[in-house]
PDB file of all heavy atoms in Angstrom:
ATOM      1  N   MET A 279       0.860  -1.201  -0.006  1.00  0.00           N
ATOM      2  CA  MET A 279       0.014   0.000   0.015  1.00  0.00           C
ATOM      3  C   MET A 279       0.878   1.212  -0.045  1.00  0.00           C
ATOM      4  O   MET A 279       1.820   1.370   0.810  1.00  0.00           O
ATOM      5  CB  MET A 279      -0.901  -0.005   1.250  1.00  0.00           C
ATOM      6  CG  MET A 279      -1.810   1.174   1.337  1.00  0.00           C
ATOM      7  SD  MET A 279      -2.859   1.066   2.812  1.00  0.00           S
ATOM      8  CE  MET A 279      -3.840   2.530   2.615  1.00  0.00           C
ATOM      9  N   GLN A 282       0.040   7.330  -1.060  1.00  0.00           N
ATOM     10  CA  GLN A 282      -1.072   8.017  -1.726  1.00  0.00           C
ATOM     11  C   GLN A 282      -2.458   7.366  -1.477  1.00  0.00           C
ATOM     12  O   GLN A 282      -3.459   7.940  -1.613  1.00  0.00           O
ATOM     13  CB  GLN A 282      -0.866   8.103  -3.266  1.00  0.00           C
ATOM     14  CG  GLN A 282       0.232   9.066  -3.671  1.00  0.00           C
ATOM     15  CD  GLN A 282       1.633   8.562  -3.441  1.00  0.00           C
ATOM     16  OE1 GLN A 282       1.826   7.355  -3.195  1.00  0.00           O
ATOM     17  NE2 GLN A 282       2.617   9.453  -3.461  1.00  0.00           N
ATOM     18  N   SER A 354       9.632  -2.460  27.215  1.00  0.00           N
ATOM     19  CA  SER A 354      10.340  -1.400  27.909  1.00  0.00           C
ATOM     20  C   SER A 354       9.495  -0.215  28.234  1.00  0.00           C
ATOM     21  O   SER A 354       9.825   0.592  29.141  1.00  0.00           O
ATOM     22  CB  SER A 354      11.526  -0.919  27.023  1.00  0.00           C
ATOM     23  OG  SER A 354      11.087  -0.371  25.807  1.00  0.00           O
ATOM     24  N   ILE A 358       2.177   2.659  27.477  1.00  0.00           N
ATOM     25  CA  ILE A 358       1.652   3.027  26.106  1.00  0.00           C
ATOM     26  C   ILE A 358       0.139   3.011  26.134  1.00  0.00           C
ATOM     27  O   ILE A 358      -0.445   2.070  26.632  1.00  0.00           O
ATOM     28  CB  ILE A 358       2.232   2.037  25.060  1.00  0.00           C
ATOM     29  CG1 ILE A 358       3.724   2.304  24.872  1.00  0.00           C
ATOM     30  CG2 ILE A 358       1.465   2.151  23.779  1.00  0.00           C
ATOM     31  CD1 ILE A 358       4.425   1.363  23.897  1.00  0.00           C
ATOM     32  N   GLY A 373       0.741  -8.933  13.072  1.00  0.00           N
ATOM     33  CA  GLY A 373       0.020  -8.020  13.953  1.00  0.00           C
ATOM     34  C   GLY A 373      -0.790  -8.695  15.006  1.00  0.00           C
ATOM     35  O   GLY A 373      -0.818  -8.259  16.182  1.00  0.00           O
ATOM     36  N   ILE A 380       0.548  -8.697  23.837  1.00  0.00           N
ATOM     37  CA  ILE A 380       0.073  -7.640  24.710  1.00  0.00           C
ATOM     38  C   ILE A 380      -0.886  -8.203  25.739  1.00  0.00           C
ATOM     39  O   ILE A 380      -0.776  -8.042  26.956  1.00  0.00           O
ATOM     40  CB  ILE A 380      -0.569  -6.509  23.928  1.00  0.00           C
ATOM     41  CG1 ILE A 380       0.464  -5.756  23.128  1.00  0.00           C
ATOM     42  CG2 ILE A 380      -1.248  -5.487  24.895  1.00  0.00           C
ATOM     43  CD1 ILE A 380      -0.131  -4.747  22.125  1.00  0.00           C
ATOM     44  N   VAL A 389      -3.978  -0.931  27.615  1.00  0.00           N
ATOM     45  CA  VAL A 389      -3.668  -0.309  26.288  1.00  0.00           C
ATOM     46  C   VAL A 389      -4.758  -0.590  25.287  1.00  0.00           C
ATOM     47  O   VAL A 389      -5.306  -1.710  25.202  1.00  0.00           O
ATOM     48  CB  VAL A 389      -2.292  -0.822  25.772  1.00  0.00           C
ATOM     49  CG1 VAL A 389      -2.276  -2.312  25.562  1.00  0.00           C
ATOM     50  CG2 VAL A 389      -1.892  -0.062  24.496  1.00  0.00           C
ATOM     51  N   TYR A 410      -8.713 -11.595  20.198  1.00  0.00           N
ATOM     52  CA  TYR A 410      -7.501 -10.857  20.531  1.00  0.00           C
ATOM     53  C   TYR A 410      -7.826  -9.581  21.395  1.00  0.00           C
ATOM     54  O   TYR A 410      -6.922  -8.759  21.579  1.00  0.00           O
ATOM     55  CB  TYR A 410      -6.672 -10.480  19.303  1.00  0.00           C
ATOM     56  CG  TYR A 410      -6.165 -11.673  18.549  1.00  0.00           C
ATOM     57  CD1 TYR A 410      -6.906 -12.232  17.501  1.00  0.00           C
ATOM     58  CD2 TYR A 410      -5.001 -12.275  18.940  1.00  0.00           C
ATOM     59  CE1 TYR A 410      -6.399 -13.359  16.813  1.00  0.00           C
ATOM     60  CE2 TYR A 410      -4.497 -13.381  18.278  1.00  0.00           C
ATOM     61  CZ  TYR A 410      -5.217 -13.934  17.205  1.00  0.00           C
ATOM     62  OH  TYR A 410      -4.763 -15.042  16.543  1.00  0.00           O
ATOM     63  N   GLU A 467       4.362   3.592  69.219  1.00  0.00           N
ATOM     64  CA  GLU A 467       5.436   4.198  68.444  1.00  0.00           C
ATOM     65  C   GLU A 467       5.604   3.468  67.058  1.00  0.00           C
ATOM     66  O   GLU A 467       5.674   4.127  66.007  1.00  0.00           O
ATOM     67  CB  GLU A 467       6.805   4.092  69.197  1.00  0.00           C
ATOM     68  CG  GLU A 467       6.863   4.979  70.422  1.00  0.00           C
ATOM     69  CD  GLU A 467       6.119   4.434  71.628  1.00  0.00           C
ATOM     70  OE1 GLU A 467       5.700   3.226  71.588  1.00  0.00           O
ATOM     71  OE2 GLU A 467       5.870   5.160  72.598  1.00  0.00           O
ATOM     72  N   SER A 479       3.782   6.143  51.150  1.00  0.00           N
ATOM     73  CA  SER A 479       3.734   5.252  50.018  1.00  0.00           C
ATOM     74  C   SER A 479       2.521   5.504  49.149  1.00  0.00           C
ATOM     75  O   SER A 479       2.557   5.441  47.929  1.00  0.00           O
ATOM     76  CB  SER A 479       3.778   3.797  50.484  1.00  0.00           C
ATOM     77  OG  SER A 479       3.685   2.880  49.447  1.00  0.00           O
ATOM     78  N   ALA A 520       6.949  22.721  66.371  1.00  0.00           N
ATOM     79  CA  ALA A 520       6.847  24.162  66.162  1.00  0.00           C
ATOM     80  C   ALA A 520       6.149  24.522  64.871  1.00  0.00           C
ATOM     81  O   ALA A 520       5.452  25.548  64.765  1.00  0.00           O
ATOM     82  CB  ALA A 520       8.238  24.786  66.157  1.00  0.00           C
ATOM     83  N   ASP A 591      -3.861  -0.220  74.947  1.00  0.00           N
ATOM     84  CA  ASP A 591      -2.791   0.152  75.834  1.00  0.00           C
ATOM     85  C   ASP A 591      -3.289   0.327  77.244  1.00  0.00           C
ATOM     86  O   ASP A 591      -2.707  -0.095  78.210  1.00  0.00           O
ATOM     87  CB  ASP A 591      -2.077   1.391  75.364  1.00  0.00           C
ATOM     88  CG  ASP A 591      -1.005   1.100  74.261  1.00  0.00           C
ATOM     89  OD1 ASP A 591      -0.725  -0.087  74.092  1.00  0.00           O
ATOM     90  OD2 ASP A 591      -0.535   2.082  73.679  1.00  0.00           O
ATOM     91  N   THR A 596      -3.930  -1.526  82.707  1.00  0.00           N
ATOM     92  CA  THR A 596      -4.793  -1.867  83.809  1.00  0.00           C
ATOM     93  C   THR A 596      -4.564  -3.306  84.233  1.00  0.00           C
ATOM     94  O   THR A 596      -4.511  -3.595  85.448  1.00  0.00           O
ATOM     95  CB  THR A 596      -6.288  -1.637  83.402  1.00  0.00           C
ATOM     96  OG1 THR A 596      -6.477  -0.274  83.043  1.00  0.00           O
ATOM     97  CG2 THR A 596      -7.194  -2.015  84.558  1.00  0.00           C
ATOM     98  N   GLN A 597      -4.473  -4.219  83.278  1.00  0.00           N
ATOM     99  CA  GLN A 597      -4.268  -5.566  83.541  1.00  0.00           C
ATOM    100  C   GLN A 597      -2.956  -5.788  84.299  1.00  0.00           C
ATOM    101  O   GLN A 597      -2.844  -6.562  85.258  1.00  0.00           O
ATOM    102  CB  GLN A 597      -4.277  -6.421  82.252  1.00  0.00           C
ATOM    103  CG  GLN A 597      -4.204  -7.889  82.436  1.00  0.00           C
ATOM    104  CD  GLN A 597      -4.494  -8.648  81.178  1.00  0.00           C
ATOM    105  OE1 GLN A 597      -5.484  -9.300  81.036  1.00  0.00           O
ATOM    106  NE2 GLN A 597      -3.564  -8.511  80.196  1.00  0.00           N
ATOM    107  N   LEU A 662       5.131 -20.445 105.657  1.00  0.00           N
ATOM    108  CA  LEU A 662       5.652 -19.608 104.627  1.00  0.00           C
ATOM    109  C   LEU A 662       6.956 -18.974 105.048  1.00  0.00           C
ATOM    110  O   LEU A 662       7.894 -18.796 104.242  1.00  0.00           O
ATOM    111  CB  LEU A 662       4.654 -18.503 104.261  1.00  0.00           C
ATOM    112  CG  LEU A 662       4.850 -17.782 102.956  1.00  0.00           C
ATOM    113  CD1 LEU A 662       4.747 -18.774 101.757  1.00  0.00           C
ATOM    114  CD2 LEU A 662       3.776 -16.710 102.766  1.00  0.00           C
ATOM    115  N   LYS A 678       0.299 -27.361  98.043  1.00  0.00           N
ATOM    116  CA  LYS A 678      -1.100 -27.038  97.642  1.00  0.00           C
ATOM    117  C   LYS A 678      -1.185 -25.611  96.986  1.00  0.00           C
ATOM    118  O   LYS A 678      -2.189 -25.326  96.366  1.00  0.00           O
ATOM    119  CB  LYS A 678      -2.052 -27.127  98.813  1.00  0.00           C
ATOM    120  CG  LYS A 678      -2.297 -28.605  99.236  1.00  0.00           C
ATOM    121  CD  LYS A 678      -3.326 -28.646 100.379  1.00  0.00           C
ATOM    122  CE  LYS A 678      -3.571 -30.092 100.786  1.00  0.00           C
ATOM    123  NZ  LYS A 678      -4.507 -30.189 101.937  1.00  0.00           N
ATOM    124  N   HIS A 691     -11.434 -15.042  81.862  1.00  0.00           N
ATOM    125  CA  HIS A 691     -11.354 -15.139  80.411  1.00  0.00           C
ATOM    126  C   HIS A 691     -10.217 -14.343  79.826  1.00  0.00           C
ATOM    127  O   HIS A 691      -9.987 -14.360  78.597  1.00  0.00           O
ATOM    128  CB  HIS A 691     -12.695 -14.724  79.790  1.00  0.00           C
ATOM    129  CG  HIS A 691     -13.846 -15.534  80.178  1.00  0.00           C
ATOM    130  ND1 HIS A 691     -13.989 -16.862  79.759  1.00  0.00           N
ATOM    131  CD2 HIS A 691     -14.978 -15.305  80.933  1.00  0.00           C
ATOM    132  CE1 HIS A 691     -15.083 -17.381  80.262  1.00  0.00           C
ATOM    133  NE2 HIS A 691     -15.724 -16.462  80.992  1.00  0.00           N
ATOM    134  N   ASN A 710      11.332 -34.913  84.217  1.00  0.00           N
ATOM    135  CA  ASN A 710      11.328 -36.364  84.335  1.00  0.00           C
ATOM    136  C   ASN A 710      10.053 -36.927  84.980  1.00  0.00           C
ATOM    137  O   ASN A 710       9.991 -38.153  85.260  1.00  0.00           O
ATOM    138  CB  ASN A 710      12.579 -36.875  85.071  1.00  0.00           C
ATOM    139  CG  ASN A 710      12.664 -36.384  86.501  1.00  0.00           C
ATOM    140  OD1 ASN A 710      11.681 -35.788  86.985  1.00  0.00           O
ATOM    141  ND2 ASN A 710      13.767 -36.625  87.175  1.00  0.00           N
ATOM    142  N   ALA A 733      13.248 -20.348  85.562  1.00  0.00           N
ATOM    143  CA  ALA A 733      13.419 -18.939  85.986  1.00  0.00           C
ATOM    144  C   ALA A 733      13.245 -18.873  87.497  1.00  0.00           C
ATOM    145  O   ALA A 733      13.968 -18.128  88.229  1.00  0.00           O
ATOM    146  CB  ALA A 733      12.467 -18.032  85.255  1.00  0.00           C
ATOM    147  N   LYS A 746      17.707 -20.317 103.900  1.00  0.00           N
ATOM    148  CA  LYS A 746      18.970 -20.613 103.190  1.00  0.00           C
ATOM    149  C   LYS A 746      19.706 -19.324 102.874  1.00  0.00           C
ATOM    150  O   LYS A 746      19.153 -18.262 102.787  1.00  0.00           O
ATOM    151  CB  LYS A 746      18.730 -21.320 101.898  1.00  0.00           C
ATOM    152  CG  LYS A 746      17.871 -20.631 100.917  1.00  0.00           C
ATOM    153  CD  LYS A 746      17.787 -21.264  99.560  1.00  0.00           C
ATOM    154  CE  LYS A 746      18.958 -20.971  98.673  1.00  0.00           C
ATOM    155  NZ  LYS A 746      19.086 -19.541  98.292  1.00  0.00           N
ATOM    156  N   SER A 748      22.184 -17.319  99.974  1.00  0.00           N
ATOM    157  CA  SER A 748      22.242 -17.226  98.553  1.00  0.00           C
ATOM    158  C   SER A 748      23.438 -18.104  98.022  1.00  0.00           C
ATOM    159  O   SER A 748      24.449 -18.253  98.699  1.00  0.00           O
ATOM    160  CB  SER A 748      22.418 -15.814  98.026  1.00  0.00           C
ATOM    161  OG  SER A 748      23.573 -15.232  98.566  1.00  0.00           O
ATOM    162  N   PRO A 768      15.896 -29.759  78.734  1.00  0.00           N
ATOM    163  CA  PRO A 768      17.257 -29.548  78.275  1.00  0.00           C
ATOM    164  C   PRO A 768      17.428 -28.384  77.301  1.00  0.00           C
ATOM    165  O   PRO A 768      18.445 -27.692  77.347  1.00  0.00           O
ATOM    166  CB  PRO A 768      17.594 -30.878  77.545  1.00  0.00           C
ATOM    167  CG  PRO A 768      16.655 -31.890  78.186  1.00  0.00           C
ATOM    168  CD  PRO A 768      15.407 -31.137  78.494  1.00  0.00           C
ATOM    169  N   VAL A 771      17.657 -25.259  79.313  1.00  0.00           N
ATOM    170  CA  VAL A 771      18.903 -25.194  80.040  1.00  0.00           C
ATOM    171  C   VAL A 771      20.004 -24.653  79.096  1.00  0.00           C
ATOM    172  O   VAL A 771      20.851 -23.831  79.486  1.00  0.00           O
ATOM    173  CB  VAL A 771      19.318 -26.567  80.588  1.00  0.00           C
ATOM    174  CG1 VAL A 771      20.751 -26.546  81.183  1.00  0.00           C
ATOM    175  CG2 VAL A 771      18.330 -27.011  81.702  1.00  0.00           C
TER     176      VAL A 771
END
Side-chain angles (χ1 to χ4, degrees):
M279 181 177 180
Q282 286 78 14
S354 61
I358 288 176
I380 293 171
V389 61
Y410 296 94
E467 292 76 14
S479 178
D591 277 349
T596 300
Q597 185 170 249
L662 198 61
K678 289 182 179 179
H691 296 293
N710 63 6
K746 61 171 277 296
S748 61
V771 172

